[in-house]
Amino acid sequence: MRRDWDLILVGAGLANGLIAWHLRHSRPELAVLLIDRDRHCGGNHTWSFHASDLSPAQQQWLAPLIDHRWPGYQVRFPAFNRRLQGEYCSITSASFAVHLARALGETILTGTAVSRITPDTVQLPDGQTLHARAVIDGRGVQPSPHLELGYQAFIGQELQLPRPHGLSEPILMDATVAQGEGYRFVYTLPLTADRLLIEDTHYIDQQRLDPDHLRQAIGQYAAAQGWAGGELVREESGSLPIILDGNFEAFWAQAKGMPCSGLRAGLFHPTTGYSLPCAASVAELIAAAPTLDHPALFNSLREHARRQWAEQRFFRLLNRMLFLAGNPSDRWRVMQRFYGLGDGLIQRFYAGRITLADKARLVSGKPPVPLGAALRAMAFPVFPSRELP
Ligand SMILES: Cc1cc2nc3c(=O)[nH]c(=O)nc-3n(C[C@H](O)[C@H](O)[C@H](O)COP(=O)(O)OP(=O)(O)OC[C@H]3O[C@@H](n4cnc5c(N)ncnc54)[C@H](O)[C@@H]3O)c2cc1C
């Protein structure tokens, strides 16, 4: 194993995996090492996104990694069902691992838990020290006292059904189900004609829900839809951070000059916790970097995150409306109102690119939560240094 690298990526999850994939194609001259503690890259996920979340160039370099594409999707609320046009795509971590292994070969080191890293060194468990112009820490989310969070907690089960399910497009939110401690919906992806991924999802204040309760709810939902008798093929679970507020400077000061990527760098959509589009942008940022020396790389990642943080201010405000105003079991009303808005606005919302007019539209009209509570949530003073929305 060589000791000196241009870049060492610690954690071969979505963010670092995409950096490695993109660099292999756009900067093949670079010596990049990807390290993960697991036996393969990518963990156990199905990563989905709207094609419109990505630029045409990003769609092109990500295309070989995509396992499923659908031309549109549905949402279901007590007041209406709606179909939205626009390609929805999924990447499974299993095929992500295979693609990375093929593209990167021996520059992937799996089964290697790393605990000692600096911005330019990585100490392996056997004591060996590797050097690089920069090391990027992409080991996933880490708790921070500088972010005020809600959570999107879910369990997803991939079920092999005894007969075709008849669903041709995803149901991104079925919120006609009984509500729980927060906003609850079921998310369903038709992976093949007789295989579904069904996720029972909750926007809640605490990080965890009883997993058995969620599994039971998936079984009941499947039966109610006429999809009973499915065999469990795979299960995934998550508790994704939803940002209500935070102190950006203090959050990044924790990194102490260590370049970070993915959830560790706070680079995700504040309302969904999804990070694929952010990860694609960071991969391009690194590929275009004039130098990979760690001080410069750290600064450009922090500046990128700072711009994103500023752009996401309005999303944090909406999150506070969702989590802090009104009764948790009424959170679905906020989402139902949102999905009654125009296609373009919904698309721009998920891409994190809303306009001033969109913002006005989102907060105009009668709020779906009590007005006084909405105003208090908007001014929620957790972090005194936060700019007012
Ligand atoms: C089940 C699930 C489904 C999701 N679905 C979507 C989705 O549909 N769309 C979307 O955009 N987002 C989704 N997300 C949210 C988010 O995009 C993912 O969590 C994403 O994987 C985060 O990327 P990451 O690179 O920051 O972290 P991860 O992908 O979690 O990667 C971190 C990696 O670091 C490794 N690691 C940790 N510690 C060490 C160590 N000490 N040494 C070496 N390696 C280490 C881990 O093994 C892991 O492979 C989902 C999350 C989950 C949990």
Side-chain angles (χ1 to χ4, degrees):
M1 153 93 54
R2 63 185 283 176
R3 295 281 180 97
D4 290 298
W5 298 85
D6 289 311
L7 201 58
I8 300 180
L9 302 165
V10 179
L14 181 62
N16 279 352
L18 286 185
I19 294 171
W21 171 261
H22 187 49
L23 289 179
R24 174 48 56 108
H25 296 94
S26 59
R27 304 277 308 271
E29 76 285 4
L30 294 177
V32 179
L33 179 67
L34 185 59
I35 303 179
D36 204 278
R37 67 178 171 196
D38 287 350
R39 290 211 344 260
H40 56 79
C41 302
N44 175 23
H45 307 86
T46 309
W47 295 299
S48 301
F49 58 98
H50 300 273
S52 55
D53 296 349
L54 302 177
S55 70
Q58 289 169 345
Q59 290 183 37
Q60 209 171 2
W61 64 257
L62 268 153
L65 301 172
I66 297 175
D67 297 295
H68 305 280
R69 294 172 182 271
W70 302 271
Y73 63 93
Q74 297 175 32
V75 290
R76 297 180 181 174
F77 288 95
F80 58 84
N81 288 354
R82 180 170 176 188
R83 176 182 187 271
L84 287 108
Q85 184 73 29
E87 195 172 47
Y88 195 69
C89 310
S90 295
I91 294 176
T92 63
S93 51
S95 75
F96 183 73
V98 171
H99 283 291
L100 286 182
R102 274 196 208 126
L104 306 176
E106 292 181 352
T107 58
I108 301 182
L109 194 58
T110 50
T112 307
V114 168
S115 54
R116 299 194 58 185
I117 54 175
T118 70
D120 57 1
T121 63
V122 171
Q123 189 175 351
L124 299 181
D126 65 5
Q128 193 184 165
T129 300
L130 306 179
H131 299 264
R133 287 160 67 192
V135 174
I136 299 184
D137 184 359
R139 288 177 292 176
V141 74
Q142 72 172 343
S144 167
H146 307 298
L147 296 179
E148 184 68 20
L149 302 176
Y151 297 92
Q152 181 187 175
F154 61 92
I155 284 191
Q157 292 193 333
E158 200 171 311
L159 300 173
Q160 177 62 49
L161 303 182
R163 62 194 76 82
H165 46 69
L167 187 68
S168 57
E169 291 180 343
I171 308 171
L172 288 207
M173 282 184 183
D174 186 345
T176 59
V177 293
Q179 298 295 295
E181 293 168 44
Y183 173 47
R184 174 179 174 228
F185 61 91
V186 181
Y187 168 97
T188 305
L189 298 181
L191 301 176
T192 67
D194 53 5
R195 189 176 283 208
L196 293 170
L197 174 67
I198 305 180
E199 293 187 355
D200 193 50
T201 306
H202 300 251
Y203 271 65
I204 47 169
D205 303 328
Q206 75 286 4
Q207 212 165 349
R208 296 265 162 247
L209 281 174
D210 174 8
D212 286 332
H213 184 72
L214 269 62
R215 290 185 184 110
Q216 216 178 358
I218 292 171
Q220 284 164 357
Y221 181 79
Q225 302 297 315
W227 303 327
E231 186 193 327
L232 179 63
V233 180
R234 195 181 63 85
E235 187 174 279
E236 63 183 62
S237 65
S239 184
L240 309 183
I242 305 300
I243 303 187
L244 308 187
D245 198 3
N247 181 332
F248 177 88
E249 299 303 335
F251 177 74
W252 266 84
Q254 289 180 134
K256 299 195 174 78
M258 184 76 222
C260 302
S261 65
L263 264 49
R264 206 166 196 87
L267 291 167
F268 52 90
H269 192 295
T271 308
T272 62
Y274 276 20
S275 72
L276 190 139
C278 298
S281 299
V282 166
E284 290 188 333
L285 178 90
I286 291 169
T291 165
L292 289 180
D293 292 344
H294 65 85
L297 203 61
F298 176 79
N299 283 336
S300 73
L301 283 165
R302 189 181 52 186
E303 284 319 299
H304 177 79
R306 192 196 301 282
R307 276 193 301 280
Q308 179 180 298
W309 180 262
E311 284 162 16
Q312 290 178 341
R313 190 156 44 134
F314 187 77
F315 291 85
R316 294 191 291 277
L317 177 141
L318 294 179
N319 291 348
R320 293 200 293 279
M321 299 266 282
L322 183 62
F323 275 87
L324 304 176
N327 193 329
S329 62
D330 284 337
R331 282 177 192 160
W332 65 271
R333 293 181 193 279
V334 178
M335 299 309 294
Q336 176 171 279
R337 179 177 180 279
F338 170 73
Y339 269 106
L341 299 173
D343 291 22
L345 188 158
I346 293 170
Q347 215 172 68
R348 289 189 291 280
F349 183 89
Y350 282 112
R353 291 191 296 262
I354 47 174
T355 63
L356 259 180
D358 292 337
K359 290 180 187 177
R361 187 76 193 86
L362 279 161
V363 294
S364 67
K366 184 175 177 303
V369 290
L371 185 62
L375 291 172
R376 280 194 299 282
M378 281 162 118
F380 183 56
V382 173
F383 293 97
S385 64
R386 173 171 59 79
E387 300 155 286
L388 283 174

